[in-house]
Amino acid sequence: MARVSLVVYLAAGLFGLSAVVLLRRPRTAVRDPLTLSTCVAIVLGSLVFVCSAPLTLAAVNRLTGVPNFGAPLTYGMLCAYSCSLLILLIHWRGGPRAQVRRMVLRSIAAYVPLIAAIVVLFALGDARTERLTDLDTYYANTPYLREMILLYLIGHSAATVTMCTLCVKWSREVTGLLRSGLRLILAGSLLDVLGFQLTKYTAVAARWTGHDLDALSTQVAPPMASLGALLCSAGFVLPRLLPAVLAQVRDLRDYRRLGPLWSRVRFVSTAPKPPSAWWQLPQARLHWREVSIHDALLGLAPYFDDLVREQALAAARDEGRGAHQARIAAEAAMLADAARRAAARQEPLRTPSGYRLHATEVSGTGGLVELAQALVRPAADGAVTDKTVRTSHG
């Protein structure tokens, strides 16, 4: 019993973690019906797992003093979860606000009486013997409890079959991450239908005919339900989080690629350094480095030597580089020369260049990254830079 509960609690924790990630900005999330409905569905799914764990069932029964009180609690929670999935799909699909609201109310109107009926049937039935893992099959032939078990299974089946149908239909109309998310939801729903619901129906029907297939209900169904729920959770979260994650990965890559440029000009920058923290997102780190580099470039502008740039440009063209690559190489040579002279505390040029770097003419970090990479190109660039410096200042 403890092992089964541990597996279920772990699934609940992983399931609920995705809601925590989605709610990283609570005020924004609450105002977004899609995010809010996603989090509600995930939280309810986690509660279903927690309530269905044998240890939780035993604790609930003990606290209430009612044998098997955890059963209607779990079944009612499962029906609420099924309803929340339908509401989530309605918000995900979108449409006119009035239509969405009407469909949401219809879903609620269908499942609230279902939950009430489960509670009433449990109260009418005779469930004196506590069953923590096999209640569905143990009471499969008991009046009222038999109907309660069928009712919660049918309610859950209706929601998951509807999800499968809608996912198949919508996946033909969308592309990219949204299609991938729908396919994950479809896979999770099918796993729930085949691995959880079908095994439950089979085990209960076997009891009706005098056979014992309880292992399907007690050993096969729970892990299949857990895996299906996790797949559904991934499908709901993937289209919402993956773009942001990929953006942070790109920002981290650009942050590192700007390293050579930053190490060359950081002594010039006067931009205030923000408080460092290990949890700071790459986007914030990149923004600060970009601002600091631009500040440093402004400080080095009086040292820009057009002669160095023109000679490096000619050398790059002689090597067969295209116009843009030759320009970047020439700017890198001019910047390296300016940084050396500034570091040596030499006087700026009497006649400032007035030249604008490509990196300062374009938005984003692309231009700075190109300049940074040009600074670490093969030694041929360094030779050109040294030659031009000796020619212009020797």
Side-chain angles (χ1 to χ4, degrees):
M1 186 173 72
R3 181 183 298 178
V4 174
S5 297
L6 180 61
V7 172
V8 173
Y9 289 147
L10 180 60
L14 292 175
F15 202 28
L17 182 61
S18 54
V20 174
V21 175
L22 284 174
L23 278 172
R24 63 193 186 279
R25 295 178 180 177
R27 292 183 180 178
T28 304
V30 170
R31 291 194 297 266
D32 181 9
L34 179 56
T35 301
L36 183 60
S37 58
T38 302
C39 293
V40 169
I42 292 174
V43 169
L44 286 175
S46 300
L47 290 176
V48 170
F49 285 123
V50 172
C51 291
S52 64
L55 290 178
T56 303
L57 292 173
V60 170
N61 296 340
R62 185 174 61 255
L63 289 173
T64 60
V66 179
N68 299 308
F69 185 85
L73 176 65
T74 302
Y75 297 159
M77 195 70 70
L78 181 61
C79 290
Y81 170 61
S82 301
C83 180
S84 70
L85 291 178
L86 293 178
I87 293 174
L88 172 55
L89 285 176
I90 292 169
H91 283 297
W92 204 355
R93 177 63 172 173
R97 181 176 298 181
Q99 179 182 354
V100 169
R101 186 172 182 272
R102 185 166 55 251
M103 294 176 68
V104 168
L105 291 177
R106 286 177 181 175
S107 299
I108 296 174
Y111 277 88
V112 167
L114 181 63
I115 296 173
I118 288 173
V119 175
V120 171
L121 288 170
F122 175 79
L124 294 174
D126 182 4
R128 298 177 185 177
T129 305
E130 184 180 58
R131 309 302 298 185
L132 300 179
T133 58
D134 62 347
L135 184 142
D136 290 346
T137 51
Y138 186 84
Y139 288 108
N141 291 309
T142 303
Y144 299 113
L145 298 180
R146 173 184 57 227
E147 287 76 12
M148 177 192 71
I149 293 166
L150 272 180
L151 203 56
Y152 98 80
L153 285 174
I154 291 172
H156 186 53
S157 297
T160 49
V161 170
T162 301
M163 284 182 61
C164 291
T165 303
L166 293 177
C167 287
V168 170
K169 178 182 177 181
W170 295 345
S171 63
R172 297 171 182 169
E173 304 173 6
V174 297
T175 58
L177 285 177
L178 186 54
R179 174 181 287 182
S180 300
L182 287 171
R183 287 177 175 174
L184 280 173
I185 296 171
L186 176 61
S189 300
L190 288 175
L191 194 59
D192 189 287
V193 170
L194 300 176
F196 174 75
Q197 297 168 35
L198 186 59
T199 55
K200 286 283 187 178
Y201 283 124
T202 303
V204 170
R207 281 284 187 161
W208 293 345
T209 58
H211 297 83
D212 185 353
L213 294 178
D214 291 9
L216 292 176
S217 177
T218 58
Q219 298 180 23
V220 177
M224 292 299 100
S226 300
L227 183 57
L230 291 176
L231 285 176
C232 286
S233 176
F236 287 129
V237 172
L238 179 68
R240 309 296 307 280
L241 290 186
L242 190 57
V245 172
L246 293 178
Q248 294 295 338
V249 170
R250 288 192 297 269
D251 290 341
L252 179 60
R253 179 196 60 192
D254 287 346
Y255 176 83
R256 290 176 174 174
R257 294 177 71 185
L258 287 177
L261 176 57
W262 174 237
S263 63
R264 190 69 67 94
V265 304
R266 63 187 305 169
F267 71 96
V268 186
S269 177
T270 59
K273 187 174 182 178
S276 59
W278 64 269
W279 46 262
Q280 193 175 40
L281 291 176
Q283 184 181 36
R285 295 173 181 265
L286 177 63
H287 177 70
W288 176 80
R289 178 163 285 187
E290 182 183 359
V291 169
S292 299
I293 289 176
H294 277 295
D295 180 73
L297 293 179
L298 286 175
L300 289 174
Y303 292 90
F304 287 168
D305 191 333
D306 287 330
L307 180 58
V308 172
R309 178 177 53 81
E310 291 167 0
Q311 291 179 343
L313 181 64
R317 287 175 175 171
D318 290 342
E319 294 174 358
R321 298 191 186 183
H324 180 70
Q325 292 300 323
R327 177 185 177 182
I328 299 300
E331 291 179 353
M334 181 178 67
L335 176 62
D337 171 66
R340 280 194 296 270
R341 289 188 289 111
R345 300 185 181 279
Q346 296 182 16
E347 291 295 326
L349 298 178
R350 294 181 179 179
T351 306
S353 168
Y355 178 81
R356 289 194 63 189
L357 297 173
H358 170 71
T360 63
E361 295 178 340
V362 296
S363 59
T365 58
L368 291 176
V369 168
E370 284 184 312
L371 186 59
Q373 297 306 298
L375 288 171
V376 293
R377 290 241 166 87
D381 288 349
V384 170
T385 301
D386 292 341
K387 179 179 177 181
T388 54
V389 171
R390 287 196 298 270
T391 303
S392 58
H393 302 288

